[in-house]
Amino acid sequence: MVHRNASPNRIFIIAHAPLAHALRQCVLHVFPDGGEGVMALDVQPNVSPEETLASARIILQQQRGGGTLVLTDVFGATPCNVAQRLVDGVRSKLVTGVNLPMLLRTVTYRHEALDALVARAVVGGTQGVMQVAITAPQNQTRRKHDPEEHNHQQ
């Protein structure tokens, strides 16, 4: 049985500029009404971690919802370091290595319990990374009834 929250979890993307807002825009592209509860903070190179943390706290205070899942781009970088100081591990959780499949998965399941949402984020992010086999047109088998013997693409 999956526990669902009375109010959906918030998703807070903290990443190097302009990635956080770009990812949020991608969410709005896929889910035009999905922007509520999805926040973004672009970490600027000329802003101190303390100022970034203060901005993050203000953004969180302006939003209502269940718990908060914070997604950052790179472990050990400023966005992640700021987020580590922001989350409490109970009402908020942190996952790093954000990518679009991870984010879309979290938006889709944000009504689930926060711990379940963390698991969905990690699975969505890792399953979204794969090598795709490419078959080049020049390696494809020609049809026998093809009157053209040229090796050009149409």
Side-chain angles (χ1 to χ4, degrees), residues 6-17:
S7 58
N9 292 301
R10 300 172 294 180
I11 300 164
F12 191 6
I13 311 157
I14 303 175
H16 292 91

Side-chain angles (χ1 to χ4, degrees), residues 41-63:
L41 176 62
D42 286 315
V43 176
Q44 302 296 331
N46 57 344
V47 177
S48 73
E50 291 74 22
E51 289 176 89
T52 302
L53 179 59
S55 296
R57 286 185 173 140
I58 290 168
I59 292 169
L60 273 183
Q61 291 170 355
Q62 294 172 344
Q63 293 288 317

Side-chain angles (χ1 to χ4, degrees), residues 5 15 34-35 38 45 56 58 62 66 69 78 80 83 88-90 95 101-103 117 121 140-141 152:
N5 289 328
V38 178
I58 290 168
Q62 294 172 344
L69 177 61
T78 301
C80 186
D88 63 13
V90 178
V95 175
M102 175 190 291
L103 181 56
L117 189 59
Q140 293 177 359
T141 308
H152 68 291

Side-chain angles (χ1 to χ4, degrees), residues 96-118:
T96 190
V98 66
N99 59 28
L100 188 56
M102 175 190 291
L103 181 56
L104 295 176
R105 180 79 55 102
T106 60
V107 170
T108 301
Y109 293 101
R110 68 190 201 116
H111 284 82
E112 291 188 2
L114 191 54
D115 286 334
L117 189 59
V118 167

